[in-house]
Amino acid sequence: MTDHTRRHSSDIVDGPTKAPARSMLRAVGFADEDFKKSQIGIASTWSMITPCNMHIDELARQACEGADEAGGKGVIFNTITISDGIANGTEGMKYSLVSREVIADSIETVAGCEGFDGLITIGGCDKNMPACIIALARLNRPSVFVYGGTIRPGADHTDIISVFEAVGQYAKGDIDLVALDDVERKAIPGPGSCGGMYTANTMASAIEALGMSLPGSSAQDAISNDKIQDCRNAGAAVQNLLQLDLKPSDIMTRKAFENAITIVIALGGSTNAVLHLLAMAHAINVDLGLDDFTEIGKRVPLLADLRPSGKYMMSELVAIGGIQPLMKMLLEAGLLHGDCITVTGKTLAENLADVQPYADEQDIIRGLDNPIKADSHLRILRGNLAPDGAVAKVTGKEGTKFTGSAKVYESEHQSYQAILNGDVVAGDVVVIRYEGPKGGPGMVEMLSPTSAIMGRGLGNDVALMTDGRFSGGSHGFVVGHVTPEAADGGPIALVQDGDQITIDAEENQMILHVDEVELAQRKSKWVAPEPRYKRGVLAKYAKQVSSASLGAVTD
């Protein structure tokens, strides 16, 4: 065993002066021989807060056994998680993006203090996954990320978005309370992350393409033998990485991030991937910006017919082979960098060498000659409404250009009630502001308003823009991450009811049709709002957080 495999734990347990530390560790199960092994910290995001993470305690135990069997000493510790699906539409949702920073900080804190030589992190919901990667980047020790896996569909092909949209259908009068109750009861059948190509499955796929999880990890059912084996394999993989002295900084390169972006586009992934990939790149000191999504998007098509805008769920993609055949297809087309090293210790091309193509009869993943959209669905928009950029998700099904009249709301809650009450009508551009990283604070998701719009049958007739963000389950003509945000006096703060707004996803522009003189007059009268929170984690976050165009990072 080479010295570098125990560089950190040696400082904790070696020599006579470390007897107190060894004494403490004996109490938690260390034997004499364990002090000579590499210590593998296993960060579990288990909790009974959400179905996404309710099974991860068992996955952590499997990863620990895998590390032990490979000659290391696994040590399990926990971090928090929150549930967007439960908190959406409430004041509690302000804590969602904040939790990404809390989780990253907590994993870094524990691992930095306890002297782990290598790490396995297991995530299963939107924020804890990029948080795990951010922490691994900061620590830069041999590491593997394991995805907790996707949920199975509910009866009648339902999922959590079915429930959100059913609320809008009920408000419109299309269904009664009995039907709403039926959807509520059957949509979430058990453990696993939300079932479409929403943010969790998007980020799992991006992390696999990045090279930080083992091949196949992103496309496995939460409750499956494949997922158990994935966890056990992660333990052995970390031991191999220790021997190779292969760290996240060797894997998470600029080209690896380009691979991750390519997969997100091909799969029709969530707008949150933009926010999280920017933050992950920042953590590992890789130069990545909004315009990189535009440049890569010019050459990468949308190929996956997955929810929310498509038909299928992640479990159905799992059944035909997951994302590995897609990656092989993209590699052969010259759209992925095959020379990127991964947590297997091999390159991406080596990992994909023996992967077989999808069966001919499947229609979940299209061929490159028959894309759903010839270029990216993720559009980086600029213009006098978003000088620093905004992020739209436009598949083409909702059109590529929209001009309408602004209806302005100062919070998500205010807009949601207006939509449910029927105040939003065809031709409106719903403007939700003061919900950015600083202004919210916390940059809440607009899943409730967008689902209400879809539920009321206005998906093709109403646009929505915000300095907040969207759930991966949102679809329709929606634009988020508008920067500068309203709390910083960005142009979105100056919009008034009735103003004409054009959103153009072909020219990548977002224009407020108000002349510069009028905008200057409005700006002169604008007064920065008082912070909504003055103490506690939300107040600290608002003071530290950067622009959404930079990933909403806090360091």
Side-chain angles (χ1 to χ4, degrees):
M1 182 178 290
T2 54
D3 289 341
H4 62 250
T5 63
R6 292 190 60 244
R7 178 165 56 88
H8 298 284
S9 62
S10 295
D11 293 340
I12 299 294
V13 300
D14 285 0
T17 62
K18 299 302 187 291
R22 292 194 298 273
S23 184
M24 296 281 282
L25 289 169
R26 290 182 192 279
V28 297
F30 273 61
D32 287 348
E33 61 271 17
D34 293 329
F35 296 115
K36 302 172 186 177
K37 299 175 182 176
S38 298
Q39 290 187 31
I40 310 302
I42 299 165
S44 167
T45 57
W46 171 81
S47 78
M48 291 302 291
I49 287 173
T50 167
C52 307
N53 294 64
M54 63 186 286
H55 62 302
I56 287 178
D57 56 339
E58 176 57 27
L59 298 186
R61 285 191 286 271
Q62 295 290 341
C64 189
E65 289 181 16
D68 292 348
E69 290 171 359
K73 175 59 179 174
V75 182
I76 299 173
F77 65 98
N78 253 78
T79 183
I80 66 160
T81 193
I82 56 88
S83 173
D84 295 353
I86 295 171
N88 242 300
T90 73
E91 189 71 4
M93 189 62 188
K94 295 184 187 298
Y95 290 89
S96 173
L97 188 58
V98 177
S99 76
R100 187 187 74 183
E101 308 307 301
V102 175
I103 295 164
D105 289 350
S106 69
I107 294 173
E108 178 192 356
T109 299
V110 174
C113 177
E114 299 302 320
F116 299 132
D117 301 298
L119 289 150
I120 298 170
T121 57
I122 309 174
C125 199
D126 296 14
K127 307 309 160 306
N128 60 52
M129 299 167 67
C132 286
I133 297 297
I134 290 169
L136 298 182
R138 292 176 187 169
L139 291 159
N140 202 31
R141 302 176 192 182
S143 307
V144 174
F145 173 81
V146 176
Y147 180 40
T150 188
I151 196 171
R152 299 287 299 169
D156 300 324
H157 211 240
T158 52
D159 66 2
I160 185 61
I161 304 305
S162 307
V163 188
F164 275 97
E165 294 185 359
V167 174
Q169 293 169 328
Y170 171 72
K172 186 182 178 184
D174 286 348
I175 62 173
D176 60 16
L177 276 174
V178 173
L180 177 59
D181 180 72
D182 178 60
V183 176
E184 172 192 332
R185 291 178 183 277
K186 69 187 180 185
I188 312 295
S193 298
C194 298
M197 190 47 63
Y198 311 143
T199 304
N201 282 318
T202 297
M203 292 312 302
S205 302
I207 292 167
E208 182 175 331
L210 188 66
M212 284 299 294
S213 60
L214 293 172
S217 184
S218 71
Q220 294 165 338
D221 290 333
I223 304 301
S224 66
N225 290 330
D226 286 343
K227 182 49 62 185
I228 289 173
Q229 192 60 51
D230 184 38
C231 294
R232 299 187 77 88
N233 291 344
V238 173
Q239 284 296 100
N240 183 48
L241 292 171
L242 282 162
Q243 295 295 333
L244 297 172
D245 195 24
L246 194 59
K247 299 182 288 293
S249 58
D250 301 310
I251 296 169
M252 296 168 62
T253 63
R254 164 72 191 209
K255 290 199 294 185
F257 276 99
E258 291 181 1
N259 286 346
I261 293 170
T262 296
I263 287 299
V264 168
I265 293 169
L267 289 170
S270 166
T271 53
N272 281 318
V274 178
L275 194 71
H276 296 324
L277 287 170
L278 290 174
M280 289 155 57
H282 172 81
I284 203 71
N285 296 315
V286 166
D287 184 18
L288 192 73
L290 284 177
D291 291 336
D292 293 312
F293 289 83
T294 297
E295 290 306 309
I296 294 170
K298 291 176 181 177
R299 61 180 183 264
V300 178
L302 169 57
L303 300 174
D305 188 15
L306 295 167
R307 291 189 178 186
S309 57
K311 176 180 178 182
Y312 295 100
M313 294 193 194
M314 190 67 178
S315 60
E316 292 160 309
L317 179 58
V318 171
I320 65 166
I323 72 168
Q324 290 278 296
L326 170 62
M327 292 173 69
K328 179 76 171 285
M329 179 168 58
L330 293 169
L331 177 67
E332 292 175 343
L335 295 173
L336 288 178
H337 302 289
D339 58 343
C340 291
I341 199 73
T342 73
V343 293
T344 64
K346 300 177 182 179
T347 65
L348 182 69
E350 288 173 324
N351 290 342
L352 295 172
D354 296 326
V355 171
Q356 297 301 305
Y358 294 116
D360 291 338
E361 61 270 17
Q362 69 84 28
D363 60 351
I364 302 174
I365 302 293
R366 300 250 191 116
L368 290 164
D369 58 347
N370 182 35
I372 293 171
K373 191 171 185 288
D375 57 2
S376 179
H377 65 297
L378 296 176
R379 316 301 293 188
I380 307 302
L381 309 182
R382 298 185 188 272
N384 69 344
L385 253 178
D388 294 343
V391 182
K393 184 162 90 173
V394 179
T395 65
K397 294 181 180 180
E398 57 285 281
T400 57
K401 188 173 181 179
F402 192 99
T403 297
S405 300
K407 279 198 175 161
V408 181
Y409 301 97
E410 308 300 322
S411 70
E412 181 211 17
H413 178 74
Q414 189 183 80
S415 73
Y416 184 46
Q417 292 303 314
I419 295 163
L420 291 179
N421 292 341
D423 298 338
V424 171
V425 298
D428 285 344
V429 178
V430 177
V431 179
I432 307 173
R433 62 192 181 194
Y434 296 104
E435 292 288 15
K438 181 186 295 185
M443 203 179 182
V444 303
E445 291 180 348
M446 303 298 160
L447 180 56
S448 293
T450 59
S451 297
I453 287 170
M454 299 305 293
R456 292 191 69 89
L458 293 169
N460 294 323
D461 303 310
V462 167
L464 187 150
M465 57 169 284
T466 178
D467 54 5
R469 59 194 177 90
F470 296 107
S471 161
S474 291
H475 57 125
F477 212 104
V478 297
V479 184
H481 309 202
V482 174
T483 55
E485 64 174 286
D488 283 331
I492 190 173
L494 310 178
V495 180
Q496 295 180 1
D497 284 341
D499 286 346
Q500 291 295 294
I501 293 173
T502 294
I503 303 167
D504 189 336
E506 294 178 355
E507 298 297 325
N508 294 331
Q509 292 183 334
M510 193 160 64
I511 305 299
L512 176 63
H513 296 287
V514 176
D515 65 54
E516 292 183 8
V517 173
E518 171 64 16
L519 285 177
Q521 290 176 344
R522 294 181 188 180
K523 179 71 173 180
S524 68
K525 298 175 183 177
W526 178 80
V527 177
E530 282 290 309
R532 288 174 170 168
Y533 289 83
K534 297 184 178 180
R535 299 191 70 176
V537 67
L538 292 178
K540 288 188 285 187
Y541 182 84
K543 289 178 181 178
Q544 292 178 280
V545 70
S546 72
S547 167
S549 63
L550 300 175
V553 298
T554 55
D555 62 350

